[in-house]
Amino acid sequence: MYTLIFMSSRGDSVRQHTISRGHVLLFSIFIFVLFFAAIGGLGYGFFQNQQKAAVERSLQTSTEKIEGLVREKLQVESELVAINEEMSSIRHMAQQIQKTLGILGQGGGDSNIVWSSGEIEGQTDDQQEDTVTISDTEIYVHAAEKPLTPIILKQEVQPLYEHVNAHQKRLDGYPSILPVKLQQANGEKYAFWYSSHFGYRTHPLTKRREFHQGLDIKTRVGVPVIAAADGTVVQVGRSGYFGHTVEITHEASRFKTVYAHLKGYADDLKVGQKVVRGQIIGYVGNTGRSTGAHLHYGIYDIEKERWVNPIAYIFDQQPTFSP
């Protein structure tokens, strides 16, 4: 048993209370539980605050990501608008070029149209041509009205590309460049001049008046000789007084070019080989019946069966000086 004595500050009043051990134990347990409950409450509150802060941070991060995605979406939409405008501009330019060149656009065609290689009974060739032209035009207009996509734009530009590419191949087949490579890799540029032109002349060795079937290009020994146009090599070897010679046929222009008096040939050059304009085929020399290092260059018109003046086909070079 325990006795608690309570006395007033003036000492005129005294109270006593008797408390058993069980009450003391219960009171101690109550205080202990209350203390840990307070500690637990504080810990739980701290944990909840931490959780709330983490959620707020996560929400803030998600919001920033969403705002970033929205900005990117707006940027992409803006770029798509610009791309569509550019594609529309390209379509317009392609249409104008095709109209100028007289090229119809490439459409998907109508499944109900029957294309026949034979003649339609009772219809003339002119009528057939007009019918096909109108049909192609309608297809082209219909294609232009489709929603513009890169695939559709490519389909519309493809005929223009094919036309230009075919035209370029025809141009590459014409011998329109000087057949010697004067500009060297080290920056040096060799001089040249025409020592003998196409037509009648007094031969420097025989002293007789003869018809010169080509153009003599005077320059130093060893200067690279290049193909004047795309074509096929038909001769590599010695050819009488021409010495070492290369001949190339050009299918696109129906011309043949001859390169004579060569010092030697390009490595692995052989008959049947395809060459392109500007490709090295040999080197300037002094072989055959020649009075000095030069290239004899000739152009032969296969269809008309005659030699033509090479000067008329050289557009890119003027002689460095005249002898």
Side-chain angles (χ1 to χ4, degrees):
M1 299 292 291
Y2 297 93
T3 301
L4 296 178
I5 300 174
F6 298 94
M7 182 180 295
S8 67
S9 58
R10 292 178 295 179
D12 56 355
S13 175
V14 178
R15 293 182 182 181
Q16 296 181 357
H17 296 277
T18 301
I19 303 174
S20 66
R21 291 184 177 181
H23 288 159
V24 172
L25 181 62
L26 287 176
F27 181 75
S28 298
I29 292 173
F30 175 75
I31 295 299
F32 182 79
V33 170
L34 184 63
F35 173 77
F36 278 96
I39 295 298
L42 291 174
Y44 179 76
F46 178 77
F47 176 76
Q48 286 292 96
N49 288 335
Q50 290 292 100
Q51 286 290 95
K52 181 180 179 181
V55 170
E56 289 178 350
R57 286 195 299 270
S58 176
L59 181 61
Q60 179 66 24
T61 302
S62 299
T63 302
E64 291 175 355
K65 288 182 178 180
I66 293 173
E67 290 176 352
L69 291 175
V70 170
R71 287 194 298 270
E72 292 178 2
K73 177 176 178 292
L74 293 175
Q75 179 67 24
V76 170
E77 289 177 348
S78 176
E79 291 176 355
L80 286 176
V81 170
I83 291 172
N84 285 330
E85 291 176 352
E86 286 296 321
M87 289 196 300
S88 297
S89 177
I90 293 171
R91 166 188 271 178
H92 178 71
M93 288 189 292
Q95 290 173 353
Q96 290 298 110
I97 295 173
Q98 289 172 340
K99 181 179 178 181
T100 302
L101 298 179
I103 311 170
L104 294 174
Q106 176 179 329
D110 189 338
S111 59
N112 297 323
I113 298 176
V114 179
W115 300 94
S116 174
S117 58
E119 294 184 1
I120 300 176
E121 184 177 356
Q123 188 177 42
T124 66
D125 292 341
D126 292 340
Q127 289 173 329
Q128 291 182 34
E129 183 178 353
D130 291 343
T131 301
V132 173
T133 302
I134 292 173
S135 178
D136 286 346
T137 304
E138 289 176 349
I139 290 172
Y140 179 62
V141 172
H142 178 67
E145 293 174 351
K146 293 179 181 179
L148 191 58
T149 65
I151 294 177
I152 292 176
L153 183 61
K154 182 178 180 180
Q155 290 175 346
E156 294 179 5
V157 175
Q158 188 70 27
L160 177 60
Y161 168 78
E162 292 174 353
H163 178 86
V164 172
N165 192 44
H167 182 66
Q168 184 61 48
K169 287 183 178 180
R170 289 194 296 271
L171 290 178
D172 290 341
Y174 278 84
S176 56
I177 66 171
L178 188 73
V180 288
K181 186 178 181 181
L182 302 174
Q183 187 70 50
Q184 304 305 300
N186 61 4
E188 182 181 3
K189 188 171 184 179
Y190 297 147
F192 83 100
W193 69 91
Y194 302 133
S195 57
S196 185
H197 288 266
F198 178 86
Y200 283 98
R201 67 169 183 173
T202 300
H203 194 279
L205 291 177
T206 65
K207 305 303 180 182
R208 291 183 298 182
R209 184 173 172 79
E210 297 179 358
F211 187 83
H212 189 223
Q213 297 175 335
L215 177 68
D216 288 348
I217 303 172
K218 182 71 173 178
T219 186
R220 69 170 66 181
V221 174
V223 169
V225 175
I226 57 178
D230 295 355
T232 304
V233 177
V234 294
Q235 180 183 340
V236 179
R238 293 191 68 90
S239 179
Y241 60 82
F242 273 160
H244 294 306
T245 304
V246 173
E247 292 186 9
I248 302 174
T249 57
H250 311 282
E251 295 80 5
S253 60
R254 301 298 298 158
F255 285 156
K256 178 179 71 173
T257 51
V258 177
Y259 313 80
H261 303 304
L262 301 177
K263 176 183 178 182
Y265 312 106
D267 293 340
D268 301 324
L269 188 71
K270 58 186 178 181
V271 173
Q273 178 179 338
K274 297 290 185 181
V275 294
V276 297
R277 174 186 287 172
Q279 180 176 336
I280 296 176
I281 58 174
Y283 303 91
V284 172
N286 190 27
T287 59
R289 192 171 69 178
S290 171
T291 58
H294 72 283
L295 171 69
H296 173 87
Y297 173 55
I299 301 179
Y300 184 76
D301 189 324
I302 298 175
E303 291 185 348
K304 296 181 179 179
E305 298 182 349
R306 66 180 185 183
W307 294 95
V308 296
N309 190 351
I311 286 291
Y313 297 90
I314 298 177
F315 302 137
D316 62 340
Q317 292 283 353
Q318 293 296 322
T320 307
F321 57 92
S322 298

